[in-house]
Amino acid sequence: MSEFRVTAISKLHAEFSVPGDKSMSHRAAILGGLSNGVCTIRNFLPSEDCVNTLNAMKALGARHEVLDELEGYGPMNLRIHGQSMKLSAPAAPIDCGNAGTGMRLLAGLLAGQEFPSELFGDASLSSRPMGRITVPLGQMGAKIETRGEKFGCAPLFIHPAKLQPIIYQMPVASAQVKSAILLAGMFAEGKTTVIQPAETRDHTERMLASFRVSTRTENNAISLYGGQMPESCDFTVPGDISSAAFWLVAAAALPGSRLLIKDVGLNPTRTAILKVLSRMGAHMTEIEHQSEGEPIGNIEIHGAALTGTTILENEVPNLIDEIPVIAVAAALAKGKTIIRNAKELRVKETDRITTVVEGLRAMGAVVEEFEDGMEITGGTPLHGAEVDSFGDHRIAMAFAIAGLFAQGKTVIKNTECVNTSYPGFAHHLDAILHERTHAADFTLPTISRE
Ligand code: S3P
């Protein structure tokens, strides 16, 4: 079992880029595999989660060739052979690993096929709610059985079905649910509409547009006509702002620091973290250098003495994955930070309200837990502790950042899980811990397979 050993830093001066966006990589594998030709995907995230989705598409007939690989992890640049919406029956059950996004999006894709399929995942994924997709997909005519030990959970047995379009009002603001319904809608005759209670990340809509599949968004209702053929295209995945968030918090909370994160996704449905850190007192500039499709740019951040803030209700879906590390920033800031309306955190890879609260308390922070969030009274110096990630990648990384500000040694247990979203995190952590400043120290080694 691997672990991170972290001690306090006094300096952070660095410029680097983080691996590709997880959400976009899942979607690029799926839409590339459905398209009518060959697509080159660059900067694909070679994480376990996304590689599982790529392999799922292979099992459904959409093979790929690896052009470049991130050494020790998986494909970064690849060519995927689209199947013109005609998938073939998988020979075996499909492993989604730890990925809620992979399982929910693939369930949407598979709901309207003429063949049966089975999706399974690890222990964490097998305890996450799947009713949020099986209910609306069922309304479309899908026949999905949840056969998990826990009610409404994976494995999913998906029987052949012919789908009808629906108008669905989602009870939770979830991009995974929205995307599962839209993918199913591509195989239904007529107009499928999904209405979200609040804005969620819009990568599916943007990527469908890149593949020339039209969708229409009116307020929070997204509609799509089934039967459209995705046209093959090339797609470069920007760096994942949710991975960048760990270093942005580290730099924000360290007065005198300067960090430049390059070529990162700046989609406005994902950048609330930047607003929150600015509100807390960090100095930041964003320079966008691509605005078409998915906005991409550089973020430069300078540290400051941070102050607490209140996370607004409508910001929560935008920064749901960043809340663990925002809680760390809050513990380092002066005053109170209030995070409410975030009950969804309880059904992530771990119950992230409990894992964050317990980890922060173990390090000496003052935290009150609520059913839907927490209140953190920052400013009490953190001390090193042993913190278990419980197999949750974002918990492992958030507490590695906390360790950079704690007196004494922090040991994070059970850290292999970071590979589900950030292969190379340990390499970047090592460079930061040793206060390295050269760009080369942050470069992750790649191997060409062409
Ligand atoms: C994701 C949506 C979010 C997020 C997850 C990725 C996506 O989940 O937490 O990491 O790619 O659609 P929910 O849809 O459950 O909010």
Side-chain angles (χ1 to χ4, degrees):
M1 194 187 282
S2 70
E3 57 186 32
F4 296 146
R5 291 174 170 270
V6 185
T7 47
I9 52 168
S10 57
K11 192 172 97 186
L12 199 167
H13 277 246
E15 295 188 10
F16 60 100
S17 52
V18 292
D21 187 274
K22 177 160 80 71
S23 293
M24 291 183 219
S25 296
H26 282 294
R27 288 157 172 82
I30 293 173
L31 289 179
L34 284 179
S35 75
N36 65 354
V38 181
C39 308
T40 303
I41 304 172
R42 300 202 173 272
N43 202 35
F44 183 83
L45 176 65
S47 73
E48 286 165 9
D49 274 15
C50 298
V51 171
N52 277 327
T53 296
L54 197 56
N55 287 336
M57 294 310 293
K58 184 155 95 185
L60 296 166
R63 67 187 170 85
H64 62 266
E65 289 129 32
V66 179
L67 307 177
D68 298 288
E69 209 170 271
L70 186 62
E71 196 179 333
Y73 296 102
M76 253 176 85
N77 298 329
L78 59 105
R79 227 181 267 127
I80 183 158
H81 294 256
Q83 296 302 294
S84 300
M85 295 286 280
K86 283 255 164 267
L87 300 175
S88 42
I94 291 173
D95 186 359
C96 300
N98 189 243
T101 307
M103 182 170 280
R104 294 189 177 120
L105 269 56
L106 287 169
L109 173 74
L110 291 167
Q113 304 300 329
E114 291 167 353
F115 51 79
S117 53
E118 179 186 339
L119 299 175
F120 70 98
D122 67 8
S124 154
L125 184 53
S126 306
S127 69
R128 295 178 65 187
M130 290 297 147
R132 55 181 59 195
I133 52 154
T134 58
V135 168
L137 294 174
Q139 288 176 15
M140 296 176 82
K143 298 187 186 82
I144 306 181
E145 283 177 77
T146 51
R147 288 203 199 154
E149 275 168 32
K150 204 171 141 190
F151 178 75
C153 292
L156 305 181
F157 285 73
I158 306 172
H159 301 283
K162 199 163 166 35
L163 303 184
Q164 301 98 46
I166 47 165
I167 299 175
Y168 186 67
Q169 170 78 54
M170 298 196 305
V172 281
S174 161
Q176 294 177 359
V177 175
K178 168 177 69 178
S179 305
I181 297 170
L182 292 176
L183 285 168
M186 290 176 75
F187 292 88
E189 216 172 282
K191 182 175 162 190
T192 294
T193 301
V194 23
I195 306 159
Q196 38 185 7
E199 188 180 52
T200 65
R201 61 189 70 192
D202 64 359
H203 303 306
T204 300
E205 298 91 305
R206 286 178 191 251
M207 204 172 292
L208 283 167
S210 301
F211 283 86
R212 303 275 179 258
V213 173
S214 40
T215 61
R216 196 187 158 92
T217 301
E218 267 172 292
N219 302 316
N220 268 326
I222 301 102
S223 307
L224 155 154
Y225 280 94
Q228 300 181 62
M229 175 62 71
E231 277 178 35
S232 61
C233 66
D234 296 341
F235 191 86
T236 299
V237 181
D240 195 327
I241 192 163
S242 299
S243 297
F246 298 103
W247 310 120
L248 292 172
V249 165
L254 190 65
S257 67
R258 176 193 173 264
L259 174 68
L260 181 73
I261 298 281
K262 295 193 229 168
D263 305 324
V264 67
L266 294 175
N267 180 318
T269 62
R270 296 283 298 284
T271 48
I273 173 73
L274 304 181
K275 292 202 185 98
V276 168
L277 291 177
S278 294
R279 267 203 319 264
M280 294 178 85
H283 304 293
M284 206 156 358
T285 26
E286 287 164 58
I287 299 170
E288 194 173 285
H289 51 247
Q290 177 189 303
S291 54
E292 214 181 290
E294 286 285 355
I296 308 180
N298 294 347
I299 303 168
E300 181 170 336
I301 186 161
H302 293 261
L306 301 182
T307 49
T309 187
T310 297
I311 306 297
L312 310 173
E313 183 172 0
N314 65 4
E315 285 177 327
V316 170
N318 190 310
L319 46 64
I320 191 77
D321 292 341
E322 286 72 79
I323 288 179
V325 79
I326 288 174
V328 170
L332 300 169
K334 244 207 180 103
K336 279 192 196 314
T337 294
I338 301 166
I339 303 168
R340 302 295 304 247
N341 306 295
K343 212 170 154 193
E344 272 295 296
L345 288 173
R346 295 209 182 268
V347 291
K348 293 294 178 187
E349 285 80 335
T350 56
D351 174 341
R352 286 187 179 155
I353 296 181
T354 301
T355 45
V356 166
V357 168
E358 286 179 358
L360 283 179
R361 282 186 184 150
M363 297 183 75
V366 179
V367 193
E368 191 180 344
E369 177 171 351
F370 305 118
E371 184 50 29
D372 66 343
M374 63 194 88
E375 182 178 294
I376 299 155
T377 307
T380 311
L382 298 183
H383 55 74
E386 196 176 286
V387 179
D388 198 321
S389 76
F390 297 101
D392 184 336
H393 53 132
R394 298 204 197 278
I395 296 300
M397 294 186 275
F399 283 98
I401 301 307
L404 297 174
F405 293 87
Q407 276 165 10
K409 194 189 291 164
T410 301
V411 179
I412 295 110
K413 296 277 187 196
N414 209 350
T415 55
E416 300 82 358
C417 54
V418 302
N419 296 336
T420 64
S421 69
Y422 193 160
F425 178 81
H427 185 88
H428 287 167
L429 177 64
D430 192 59
I432 300 271
L433 268 174
H434 291 95
E435 301 184 358
R436 298 199 180 109
T437 53
H438 292 292
D441 294 321
F442 290 86
T443 307
L444 301 175
T446 53
I447 302 173
S448 172
R449 295 278 175 217
E450 253 188 308

